[in-house]
Amino acid sequence: MTNRDKIFAVAPMMEWTDRHCRYLHRLLSRNARLYTEMVTADAILRGDRERLLAFDRFERPVALQVGGAAPERLAQAAKIGAAHGYDEINLNVGCPSDRVQSGRFGACLMREPNLVADCAGAMREAVPVPVTIKCRIGVDDQDPEMALRALIAACASADITTFVIHARKAMLEGLSPKDNRSVPPLNYDLVYRIKSENPQLTIVLNGGIQSLQEAETHLGQVDGVMIGRTAYQSPTILADVDARFFGEDSTDIDSAIEQYVRYIEAQLRSGTPLNAMTRHMLGLFNGQPGSRGFRRHLSENASRLGAGIEVVQTALDHLRADHRRAAA
């Protein structure tokens, strides 16, 4: 299936999709849409913007995901993000963590669709790049059939046209953020219906997608798919995205890894700790001979004081030796 209008995205994931992770993912797919970790509007306005917002232009297209519930502050944060070069600003209406709830943003905003519309509308008016929403289908005792439609209708009236929908409720009482990623049942059919009812909107499906075959099936019903933990834990899944969905060649994984090693060398020279980059490599060879030893060597050595690129090279050398033995 090849359709340039379709979207394949990697989800924003706290403590995972930092700039080093995104650089690796971009090496594996030229067309996947990449997202930052969520950054609160207040952090952007008051914090170290260079640290929070810095990214390599090679990552593009890349979206900045922001959290907040104050239209004026969100608009200011969006403007700053767009000025930094982000291609999209995404409003988080899906995170279920206690910290996010205490700030009255994230998934709890599913209960306040008009406020979400005010926030997104203010952001849209402030920036020249697209403003999008990432949401759940509801929270707690909400009826998803009503809650999701109310949110989409309110935001569409503010000229928001793209919605990334995690097809699960968020249970804000009684489930941890980790459990909220897997325990509430998926309701793909509701998301399909939302697309059918709103053909003018761009609907991207998120939640529980673990293979490119599953992604392709969903793309028969919606405009895009977003995968999360699967892309992080086994990132080489991204190497076939360009060929399968965009009519281009598959990525040569060895070449991508060589380029990431050169990226690590450059970052080391600028003072970035080795383990900040190697932690995103741990899943590269899942299921292959030598993968455990590769992970163990990086995990045990990359965080040591003064650790350098030789740690990565040694891990790769051991892996290649194990491949040769397995093939003999």
Side-chain angles (χ1 to χ4, degrees):
M1 183 201 70
T2 302
N3 188 333
R4 283 280 171 186
D5 294 329
K6 294 292 185 180
I7 295 167
F8 187 99
V10 179
M13 292 175 280
M14 293 298 293
E15 300 183 358
W16 288 6
T17 51
D18 64 18
R19 62 192 180 97
H20 309 303
C21 173
R22 297 191 306 267
Y23 196 98
L24 176 60
H25 286 179
R26 179 59 68 218
L27 286 168
L28 293 166
S29 171
R30 295 171 295 280
N31 294 285
R33 295 195 184 187
L34 305 180
Y35 286 73
T36 69
E37 306 166 88
M38 183 188 69
V39 186
T40 66
D42 285 349
I44 293 171
L45 296 179
R46 301 171 184 169
D48 182 347
R49 293 177 188 171
E50 184 58 28
R51 180 182 63 82
L52 293 169
L53 299 179
F55 70 99
D56 193 297
R57 291 299 189 266
F58 177 75
E59 299 169 34
R60 299 182 67 180
V62 60
L64 170 66
Q65 189 185 64
V66 296
E72 289 185 7
R73 291 202 292 273
L74 282 165
Q76 293 171 14
K79 195 170 184 177
I80 292 167
H84 270 71
Y86 285 97
D87 301 285
E88 171 189 333
I89 311 295
N90 179 264
L91 178 62
N92 184 314
V93 190
C95 181
S97 77
D98 292 340
R99 182 178 67 85
V100 166
Q101 289 182 63
S102 68
R104 195 194 171 200
F105 59 96
C108 63
L109 286 176
M110 292 295 302
R111 298 192 183 105
E112 301 183 77
N114 292 330
L115 175 58
V116 175
D118 289 344
C119 292
M123 295 163 68
R124 184 191 58 76
E125 292 177 2
V127 298
V129 299
V131 172
T132 63
I133 301 288
K134 188 173 189 295
C135 64
R136 294 282 184 137
I137 60 173
V139 296
D140 295 336
D141 60 354
Q142 282 186 318
D143 178 354
E145 299 279 350
M146 299 176 62
L148 182 57
R149 286 184 174 90
L151 181 79
I152 288 177
C155 293
S157 70
D159 293 331
I160 303 301
T161 60
T162 298
F163 298 84
V164 181
I165 304 172
H166 187 154
R168 287 187 175 95
K169 270 188 174 185
M171 306 306 293
L172 304 181
E173 301 291 336
L175 283 184
S176 68
K178 179 180 178 181
D179 287 340
N180 261 301
R181 294 195 294 264
S182 58
V183 172
L186 289 158
N187 189 345
Y188 293 139
D189 287 341
L190 173 57
V191 182
Y192 295 164
R193 291 196 298 275
I194 292 294
K195 174 58 188 176
S196 178
E197 295 164 9
N198 299 276
Q200 78 282 9
L201 299 180
T202 299
I203 303 297
V204 179
L205 178 69
N206 173 229
I209 303 171
Q210 298 182 4
S211 70
L212 298 188
Q213 180 58 55
E214 291 177 38
E216 187 165 334
T217 298
H218 292 306
L219 285 171
Q221 303 286 337
V222 293
D223 302 294
V225 293
M226 175 181 279
I227 63 173
R229 284 167 292 162
T230 297
Y232 188 85
Q233 293 166 351
S234 298
T236 52
I237 190 176
L238 299 175
D240 291 324
V241 165
D242 294 339
R244 186 150 190 167
F245 301 115
F246 298 99
E248 300 181 7
D249 293 335
S250 293
T251 299
D252 182 90
I253 294 173
D254 289 340
S255 175
I257 292 171
E258 289 176 8
Q259 292 178 73
Y260 193 61
V261 169
R262 290 197 292 272
Y263 170 80
I264 291 174
E265 289 179 303
Q267 290 294 313
L268 286 170
R269 289 193 291 271
S270 67
T272 303
L274 180 64
N275 66 332
M277 298 168 285
T278 56
R279 68 191 187 95
H280 303 302
M281 301 177 69
L282 297 179
L284 278 172
F285 304 103
N286 280 346
Q288 297 184 33
S291 61
R292 288 184 181 179
F294 174 82
R295 290 194 301 271
R296 183 171 59 250
H297 186 83
L298 289 182
S299 298
E300 292 176 353
N301 294 284
S303 60
R304 291 180 177 175
L305 184 65
I309 196 63
E310 70 281 352
V311 172
V312 181
Q313 297 289 10
T314 300
L316 289 169
D317 288 344
H318 287 322
L319 183 85
R320 292 172 184 133
D322 285 336
H323 281 187
R324 288 193 295 270
R325 283 192 291 269

